[in-house]
Structure formats: structure tokens, C-alpha cells
Amino acid sequence: MVGAATFHAAMVEIVIGSLTLSTICTICCIQNSIKIPLGKFQFSKKTLDAMDKAALAGAILGVLMMPGAILTGDLASMGTPEDNILLYNKFLYSGLSLGFWAAYVFCRIRFGQELWENRVLSIFQILMSLAAFTMTASVASIGGMVASCRALLVGMVFRRDFLLCFERS
């Protein structure tokens, strides 16, 4: 039988990996509306279309798997969000992250590939992707703080719960 923590770790890796792929491909798709002066980073139209599809597929996979990661994280955690401020923040940021990624997928499906030909919409889509990924990275940092007192984003300090990590070590 697989433990809840092991299953949660596997779900989180799938979510983080697919959303990272989506974010990187989304940033590269800006070339459809804005010319990049660096020759090394010029992609062909076919490559940009493939990146757009990979970004959409990664975001859809992340959105579909994120509720499973949230539920397995709840099962694997010690205590409840009412008892631990880190768990409360993780639950709150998970919902925000899911909302941002769902909006990203909705906008991309609603406007289609023509979204990248409009400069304003493409910049908005990239900013939404970056905001969503920042929320996702924040959730991952909080999870690292809860599980092993290690954070992905080093600058995140969580008042007294952060200091308790050093007392447990």
C-alpha cells in the first residue's frame, strides 16, 4: 500500500513539472507578437505552434491533477489548517493557483492560437502564466516548509512557524 505522503509527492511532481513546461513554452510564444532581436532565440512558426500546444497541454494536465495533489496533501498532513498557519496558507494559495491556471486555460481555449498574434492578449496571457506559476511555487515552498523545513523560495519567512523549523532540527 502506498502512503498518502508518497502519493502526494508523486502528484506534486506531475503538477509542478507540467506547469513549469507550460510556463516556459508560454514565455517563448511571445515571438508570435513581438520580434526578439536575438538570433539564437528565433523559433520557426512550426516550433512556436508546437510550444503553444505544449503550453496548453501542460496547463490542462496541471489543472486536472492539482485537485488530487491538494486532496492527497490534506490526507498526508499532520493536523488541520486551523491548527497550523502554514497549512492554512498552503490551502489558500492552492486555491488561488488553481484559479489562475484555470483562467489561463479558459483564455487560451476561448481565444485560440490567434491569441498570440495580438500583442496585448499575448502579454496578458504571459503575465497570467507567471502569476499562476508564482502561486504554484509559493505552494511548493510552503509544502517544503511543512514537510522538511526547506523552501523553494528562500525569501519566504513565515513568522514563528519558520523559526520552529530550526528548533525541530
Side-chain angles (χ1 to χ4, degrees):
M1 182 91 178
V2 176
T6 305
F7 195 62
H8 176 65
M11 296 285 284
V12 166
E13 292 301 323
I14 292 170
V15 169
I16 293 291
S18 64
L19 295 179
T20 301
L21 171 73
S22 179
T23 303
I24 291 169
C25 290
T26 299
I27 291 169
C28 290
C29 283
I30 191 82
Q31 287 186 16
N32 282 333
S33 62
I34 298 174
K35 286 293 182 193
I36 306 291
L38 301 173
K40 290 181 183 179
F41 297 108
Q42 295 293 333
F43 298 112
S44 68
K45 180 73 172 151
K46 190 175 182 180
T47 303
L48 289 172
D49 287 345
M51 283 188 179
D52 176 50
K53 291 175 184 170
L56 182 59
I60 289 172
L61 178 64
V63 167
L64 292 177
M65 298 297 280
M66 198 178 290
I70 293 169
L71 291 175
T72 57
D74 186 44
L75 293 174
S77 66
M78 300 289 189
T80 63
E82 296 89 25
D83 300 336
N84 188 340
I85 190 69
L86 289 177
L87 289 177
Y88 179 78
N89 284 338
K90 186 173 179 176
F91 195 74
L92 180 70
Y93 284 8
S94 295
L96 288 172
S97 178
L98 183 61
F100 272 121
W101 281 112
Y104 171 89
V105 169
F106 175 78
C107 287
R108 172 52 188 80
I109 290 172
R110 167 76 171 81
F111 292 109
Q113 281 188 323
E114 293 79 30
L115 172 122
W116 300 113
E117 295 168 8
N118 184 331
R119 180 177 287 194
V120 174
L121 287 176
S122 63
I123 290 172
F124 178 73
Q125 189 76 348
I126 289 171
L127 291 176
M128 190 179 321
S129 171
L130 291 173
F133 190 74
T134 301
M135 278 290 140
T136 307
S138 299
V139 171
S141 285
I142 294 170
M145 291 296 295
V146 169
S148 61
C149 293
R150 291 187 214 124
L152 176 66
L153 302 175
V154 178
M156 295 183 81
V157 177
F158 300 103
R159 300 181 306 200
R160 97 181 156 78
D161 288 329
F162 181 75
L163 298 173
L164 291 176
C165 288
F166 295 109
E167 293 174 9
R168 283 189 269 162
S169 300

